[in-house]
Amino acid sequence: MKVAILGGSGKTGRAVGAALAQAGVATRPLGRAAFDDLPAALAGADAVHVIAPNLHPDEPAYVAAVLTAATEVGVGRVSYHSVASPYVPAMPHHLGKAVSEDLVRRSGLAWTILQPCAYLQNLLPALRSARSSAAGGLEVPYAVDTPFGMVDLHDVAAATAAVLTGEGHVGATYELGGPALVSVADVAAAAGVTARRVPADGDVHPWLRAMFDYYDDHGLPTGGVPLRALLGRLPTSVAEVLARDLG
Ligand SMILES: NC(=O)c1ccc[n+]([C@@H]2O[C@H](COP(=O)([O-])OP(=O)(O)OC[C@H]3O[C@@H](n4cnc5c(N)ncnc54)[C@H](OP(=O)(O)O)[C@@H]3O)[C@@H](O)[C@H]2O)c1
């Protein structure tokens, strides 16, 4: 089996590629140059996993181009890396994924959609500097006490490999949250530091500002049962991720 991974050279794509390789699958990581000739980039693959770059200005157009090319060259299987709670009109980049999900479902291809929550790995650089600074605090530009289903990126990648190599996942949409709802303050405490909300940088992307506003009020709660089922084990806990990746 050979899987082409759009966005395969990015943070998520590298993790997915590693998980597929571990499952014995040949991978073809693709970056932006693949868009020069998408049919040629996808030809000969058995499946394509579609990851859009962060904050792509037109994710539905990106996804539509891949779906069209996959159809043209006969790649019949597609999985799409969406996000938890894609249909949130207050968050434009989530809404772009909701629209893209609709394109995937109507593509005529054999599809699966994955909806991961925020990765725990997003917090690691700030946790490292919080630990090494005298002040010792984790600073984020949104509320530190709202609930998230924060998830280990490597669990998300392993679930993606399970979906593409296993049976019974065509036509499925899986919300991928970690093993428990946690706040940023909980994650900071597990790393031995405190957390506090700070104002966002003045030049932050407006879509990120909208996301921070949403996180302030609601966090991003996400269920953990589908991930546990796909992995066939408990998803990796916050403490385990910190012990493995933070040192
Ligand atoms: N971070 C999270 O917690 C989280 C949670 C859920 C979902 N997600 C979603 O996961 C996705 C991937 O995130 P990520 O951080 O892994 O992304 P990323 O590292 O920014 O992705 C970079 C990848 O996208 C390609 N790329 C960049 N600009 C492009 C363009 N204009 N046209 C085509 N390809 C382009 C890059 O190719 P080159 O190597 O050629 O530059 C590279 O392969 C995003 O859609 C994000 O919303 C993230």
Side-chain angles (χ1 to χ4, degrees):
M1 183 183 193
K2 188 181 296 171
V3 177
I5 307 172
L6 262 300
S9 49
K11 178 166 81 169
T12 304
R14 289 193 305 274
V16 169
L20 282 165
Q22 199 170 359
V25 174
T27 60
R28 190 186 295 168
L30 299 169
R32 72 189 75 199
F35 283 78
D36 295 344
D37 187 348
L38 268 177
L42 299 183
D46 302 296
V48 57
H49 183 60
V50 187
I51 306 167
N54 259 315
L55 302 176
H56 191 283
D58 190 350
E59 185 154 339
Y62 174 101
V63 172
V66 179
L67 296 173
T68 300
T71 304
E72 187 181 323
V73 297
V75 179
R77 180 80 173 101
V78 61
S79 49
Y80 170 52
H81 191 93
S82 180
V83 72
S85 298
Y87 184 71
V88 177
M91 290 196 279
H93 68 300
H94 277 231
L95 208 50
K97 292 188 194 301
V99 173
S100 301
E101 286 192 2
D102 174 57
L103 298 177
V104 171
R105 292 192 184 95
R106 292 190 293 109
S107 64
L109 303 175
W111 57 266
T112 307
I113 293 171
L114 299 164
Q115 300 176 327
C117 191
Y119 315 146
L120 274 160
Q121 277 76 6
N122 299 346
L123 293 175
L124 294 179
L127 281 171
R128 277 191 199 100
S129 51
R131 271 186 163 182
S132 60
S133 79
L138 170 66
E139 297 181 338
V140 294
Y142 51 87
V144 300
D145 58 354
T146 52
F148 290 81
M150 277 182 211
V151 66
D152 177 16
L153 170 58
H154 301 294
D155 280 354
V156 171
T160 306
V163 156
L164 285 170
T165 57
E167 298 292 320
H169 303 298
V170 171
T173 299
Y174 297 123
E175 184 179 55
L176 300 180
L181 293 181
V182 291
S183 66
V184 169
D186 294 332
V187 177
V193 298
T194 57
R196 71 186 180 102
R197 187 192 191 293
V198 294
D201 288 342
D203 60 353
V204 68
H205 191 299
W207 291 0
L208 286 183
R209 189 178 295 280
M211 184 183 81
F212 298 151
D213 289 346
Y214 188 89
Y215 283 2
D216 270 340
D217 293 334
H218 308 292
L220 195 64
T222 308
V225 172
L227 182 58
R228 190 166 72 219
L230 289 170
L231 297 176
R233 59 166 170 80
L234 280 178
T236 311
S237 68
V238 170
E240 289 166 336
V241 171
L242 296 180
R244 186 193 64 203
D245 293 351
L246 199 57

